[in-house]
Amino acid sequence: MNRAEFLNFFAELIEAEPDTLTGAESFRELSGWSSLVAIEFIAMADEQLDFVVSPTRLAESRTIDDLIAMLGDHISD
Amino acid sequence: MLNPLDHTGKTILVTGASGGIGSQVCLSLSRLGARVILVGRRTDTLEETLKTLDGTGHVIRGFDLLEAERIQGWLRETATTTGPLDGLVHCAGRQLTQALRFLRPDDVNDFLSLDIRTGLCLAKGLRQNGVHATTSSLVFLSSVMGLVGHPGKGLYSAAKGALIAMTRSLALELAPEGIRVNVVAGGYAPTDTTRRMENAQTPEQLATLTERHPLGIGSPRDIANAVAFLTGDTGRWITGTTVTVDGGYTAQ
């Protein structure tokens, strides 16, 4: 998955319009974010990217770019 | 010394014996003297549970419970080998927390199948002549989520609530055949399986979950002890009941 695909995936997750996210957004302040969406995000990372999200790292993340950085090599440029 | 929970001489079949609450139920029942028939899809993980058990004579039966149409014949075949069952504990199940908007219609059938379809077919299989002993105890594993609600638990609650509802009717239907039917509604008692769920939660969410259990979070042993109470002679006059073991979660 590349960065643009991830941003659109994330937009779908929080029910935002496609191509509206830049990555700089504080995801917890987005209207579609909730603890249940967090669970879905963690499940997606596990199932689709084979990446186990640490709850601590997730708690420390502020922006969508932080999430992308956390996913590291699993998201291409 | 009298031990009313003594299971010596009893043969109890346990589904979901590979891990989670199921493996603890096997361990606890074996420590009380029962011979346990361990059921799960993977015999290699059942072997791991078997190594932890006390006593001898336990039996491993690899079987996929989602093949519900085969359960009746498979239980008859099992009882032919092991002798009639004094109890059957259906621990196999799945965890799920999912916002409604991520729900796919096909998930519903898949998820409900293991609790409802398999549960009913196990009851149907157990009631066959020769499969159950003169008196036998069928115990389903449910959850407090079958009694109260929580966001993201719609489908999970449907499955666990169904187990509670069907227990009452099955108890009435099977009482004349000497089979008691009860269900344990457990609160949060972490196992290896639910620890994966823990990993999907923030420390704040976990703290809230803990606070909602006035006695603190439980242990699989707490659930297994309630199961043993129902499979043992201690439960001989109990049927159609939901035993809530939840550290006070539903008292609020």
Side-chain angles (χ1 to χ4, degrees):
Chain A
M1 184 180 286
N2 63 32
R3 179 184 163 82
E5 287 168 339
F6 179 81
L7 287 174
N8 276 336
F9 166 80
F10 200 87
E12 191 181 336
L13 207 60
I14 61 166
E15 295 184 306
E17 292 298 320
D19 303 319
T20 56
L21 297 176
T22 66
E25 297 87 353
S26 296
F27 60 87
R28 287 189 189 80
E29 290 167 20
L30 298 171
S31 63
W33 182 260
S34 69
S35 58
L36 287 176
V37 172
I39 289 172
E40 200 65 23
F41 171 74
I42 291 167
M44 178 285 294
D46 187 16
E47 289 164 17
Q48 295 187 30
L49 302 174
D50 199 24
F51 182 90
V52 178
V53 174
S54 141
T56 310
R57 285 289 304 275
L58 181 61
E60 288 167 358
S61 300
R62 192 177 62 82
T63 66
I64 298 174
D65 279 335
D66 290 341
L67 297 178
I68 291 171
M70 176 180 72
L71 293 167
D73 293 344
H74 296 269
I75 304 292
S76 57
D77 290 333
Chain B
M1 186 165 47
L2 176 70
N3 176 6
L5 282 170
D6 185 17
H7 277 60
T8 303
K10 289 187 186 295
T11 299
I12 314 272
L13 184 145
V14 180
T15 74
S18 301
I21 299 292
S23 56
Q24 179 63 54
V25 167
C26 293
L27 175 61
S28 295
L29 291 176
S30 75
R31 285 181 173 170
L32 290 166
R35 179 170 65 134
V36 181
I37 304 169
L38 301 89
V39 177
R41 270 180 306 180
R42 291 179 49 187
T43 53
D44 56 336
T45 50
L46 293 174
E47 293 281 357
E48 292 302 312
T49 304
L50 179 64
K51 284 179 197 165
T52 68
L53 303 191
D54 279 5
T56 56
H58 310 299
V59 178
I60 282 180
R61 294 282 282 166
F63 185 73
D64 184 354
L65 290 161
L66 290 174
E67 296 182 43
E69 64 284 348
R70 288 186 54 218
I71 287 176
Q72 212 172 349
W74 167 78
L75 270 179
R76 199 181 308 114
E77 187 189 307
T78 299
T80 304
T81 315
T82 64
L85 304 178
D86 299 284
L88 190 159
V89 187
H90 183 32
C91 299
R94 290 159 54 193
Q95 290 288 330
L96 181 70
T97 304
Q98 184 184 49
L100 196 55
R101 67 187 171 88
F102 298 116
L103 178 78
R104 291 167 297 199
D106 285 347
D107 292 343
V108 178
N109 286 347
D110 291 349
F111 194 82
L112 295 182
S113 191
L114 193 52
D115 281 319
I116 304 176
R117 189 162 175 257
T118 299
L120 286 167
C121 289
L122 285 170
K124 181 180 173 179
L126 181 65
R127 68 160 296 279
Q128 298 173 105
N129 285 336
V131 175
H132 65 91
T134 313
T135 59
S136 190
S137 171
L138 172 59
V139 181
F140 293 118
L141 255 291
S142 180
S143 158
V144 291
M145 289 300 123
L147 297 167
V148 296
H150 195 274
K153 289 291 188 184
L155 181 51
Y156 186 74
S157 293
K160 297 305 172 188
L163 283 175
I164 290 168
M166 73 194 208
T167 288
R168 291 187 285 267
S169 291
L170 292 176
L172 295 174
E173 184 168 340
L174 297 179
E177 300 179 43
I179 301 173
R180 297 182 291 104
V181 188
N182 294 288
V183 58
V184 174
Y188 186 49
T191 64
D192 289 344
T193 311
T194 52
R195 282 204 181 87
R196 285 203 293 275
M197 184 186 82
E198 272 182 41
N199 288 338
Q201 303 199 35
T202 64
E204 291 77 19
Q205 286 171 318
L206 273 177
T208 304
L209 181 63
T210 304
E211 282 166 17
R212 285 182 180 163
H213 293 77
L215 294 181
I217 58 173
S219 137
R221 213 173 48 179
D222 297 318
I223 310 294
N225 285 343
V227 169
F229 188 85
L230 293 168
T231 54
D233 291 342
T234 37
R236 64 172 289 278
W237 204 46
I238 302 173
T239 197
T241 292
T242 303
V243 177
T244 305
V245 185
D246 68 351
Y249 187 98
T250 54
Q252 297 158 93

